[in-house]
Amino acid sequence: MEKILFVGAGQMAEAIIAGIVNKRVIYEDNVYVMNRSDAERLDELESRYGITKVCEDRDFIKKVDLVVLATKPKDVEKVMEDIAPYLGEDTTVLSVIAGISMNTFEKGLGKRPIARSMPNTSATIGKSASGIAFNEAVSDRMQQSILSLLNAIGIVKVVEEDDLHAVTALSGSGPAYIYYLVEAMEEAAVAQGLDAVDARELIVQTIYGAASMLKKTGEEPSVLRENVTSPGGTTAAGLRSLEDHNFKTIISDCLISAENRSRQLGSSK
């Protein structure tokens, strides 16, 4: 693809822009961004990444190969009304908006190639975990182009559209769960007398090391957990406390709540 236009200038749009520009997937002079308001934000992205802002020139939309919709779910209807008259017949639309179905986009933007993906903000450093679904109109060539784009910002898995709700709950929202865990561990460590800076470094390295072990060894997490857990030892005591407080149920409820919310966002459109 030659030209990409981002419609929306929030955190997700910036994360993807940063990933593809920093990895040189597409040169910055072929990346464009527009927003319904907030010219200051567009100036910021233009200055930071060397991309080009598009303001009132809606005719420019006809010139791009791929439009990436990265607005808030509540703004989808107005955004579709705004851009629909200017889309070329073969322009592909990629949505990274949580919950909104391809059927909704087909109704608002006409029958055209449409893809839905759910990256996460780790795209900024090329470490996103994304899921994606395509409608039948997306050509094999465009599918490969979009997959190359998303692989450049992490990993991507092709799934059925309905499964994107679960992907949204798991990896789309997942970084927030990890950050929340770090907050909790840090607060507990400081309460036990550790220096906050030392605690942060130890926690981050522990999570990084554990993730690396899972990735590099290919072992089941249960096996790695058992390898760390000596009978009657400190790890066993900590794990017993997690079990007593129904840790797995809490995680399950977390994912179910997020998935349900994704479905609600879609059904409201």
Side-chain angles (χ1 to χ4, degrees), residues 5 28 121 162 171-172 181 190-191 194 206 220 242 260 262:
L5 171 64
E28 55 268 29
T121 52
D162 190 63
S171 57
L181 172 64
V190 170
L194 283 179
T206 298
E220 290 295 316
L242 291 178
N260 287 342
S262 176

Side-chain angles (χ1 to χ4, degrees), residues 100-107 114-116 133-135 161:
I100 310 301
S101 70
M102 284 192 276
N103 183 57
T104 297
F105 291 117
E106 288 173 350
K107 288 179 179 178
I114 295 174
R116 276 185 60 199
F134 301 97
N135 73 359
E161 183 180 14

Side-chain angles (χ1 to χ4, degrees), residues 9-268:
Q11 292 301 312
M12 182 55 70
E14 181 173 8
I16 300 172
I17 290 168
I20 62 175
V21 168
N22 292 338
K23 287 288 190 72
R24 310 300 287 172
V25 178
I26 296 176
Y27 290 112
E28 55 268 29
D29 53 1
N30 287 326
V31 180
Y32 304 81
V33 61
M34 64 183 291
N35 209 20
R36 292 182 60 246
S37 59
D38 198 354
E40 185 177 335
R41 174 63 171 165
L42 294 179
D43 289 341
E44 179 183 318
L45 292 177
E46 186 174 58
S47 174
R48 184 173 296 165
Y49 301 106
I51 62 176
T52 303
K53 66 183 178 183
V54 178
C55 295
E56 301 303 322
D57 182 15
R58 294 296 186 262
D59 283 332
F60 178 82
I61 299 173
K62 300 175 182 177
K63 303 176 184 178
V64 303
D65 304 289
L66 177 67
V67 173
V68 180
L69 297 181
T71 65
K72 292 182 173 63
K74 67 181 181 64
D75 295 329
V76 165
E77 299 293 343
K78 289 183 179 179
V79 167
M80 288 195 297
E81 290 176 7
D82 189 23
I83 70 172
Y86 304 97
L87 289 171
E89 287 185 9
D90 298 323
T91 303
T92 300
V93 173
L94 168 63
S95 167
V96 294
I97 305 170
I100 310 301
S101 70
M102 284 192 276
N103 183 57
T104 297
F105 291 117
E106 288 173 350
K107 288 179 179 178
L109 301 175
K111 297 288 186 179
R112 67 177 55 257
I114 295 174
R116 276 185 60 199
S117 183
M118 198 65 246
N120 62 40
T121 52
S122 299
T124 305
I125 58 170
K127 300 295 183 183
S128 178
S130 309
I132 191 167
F134 301 97
N135 73 359
E136 294 181 354
V138 182
S139 68
D140 290 343
R141 182 178 179 181
M142 180 56 79
Q143 284 190 30
Q144 290 306 311
S145 293
I146 294 173
L147 290 174
S148 295
L149 183 152
L150 293 176
N151 274 314
I153 58 172
I155 67 167
V156 57
K157 300 294 183 181
V158 179
V159 299
E160 296 296 325
E161 183 180 14
D162 190 63
D163 291 334
L164 281 175
H165 297 294
V167 171
T168 298
L170 180 65
S171 57
S173 300
Y177 312 150
I178 303 301
Y179 301 145
Y180 195 44
L181 172 64
V182 171
E183 288 180 59
M185 292 178 74
E186 187 173 326
E187 289 175 10
V190 170
Q192 291 174 313
L194 283 179
D195 176 78
V197 174
D198 290 343
R200 171 73 60 83
E201 291 182 1
L202 289 168
I203 293 165
V204 171
Q205 183 62 28
T206 298
I207 292 174
Y208 174 75
S212 298
M213 284 287 287
L214 283 166
K215 189 175 181 67
K216 292 183 178 181
T217 67
E219 288 280 10
E220 290 295 316
S222 59
V223 172
L224 294 175
R225 171 177 54 78
E226 290 167 1
N227 290 343
V228 181
T229 309
S230 300
T234 58
T235 306
L239 288 171
R240 191 178 310 113
S241 180
L242 291 178
E243 291 172 358
D244 290 344
H245 289 84
N246 299 312
F247 181 73
K248 287 187 177 180
T249 300
I250 292 170
I251 297 300
S252 177
D253 289 346
C254 169
L255 295 182
I256 290 170
S257 295
E259 180 178 358
N260 287 342
R261 180 54 181 156
S262 176
R263 293 184 183 279
Q264 288 169 3
L265 289 171
S267 65
S268 65

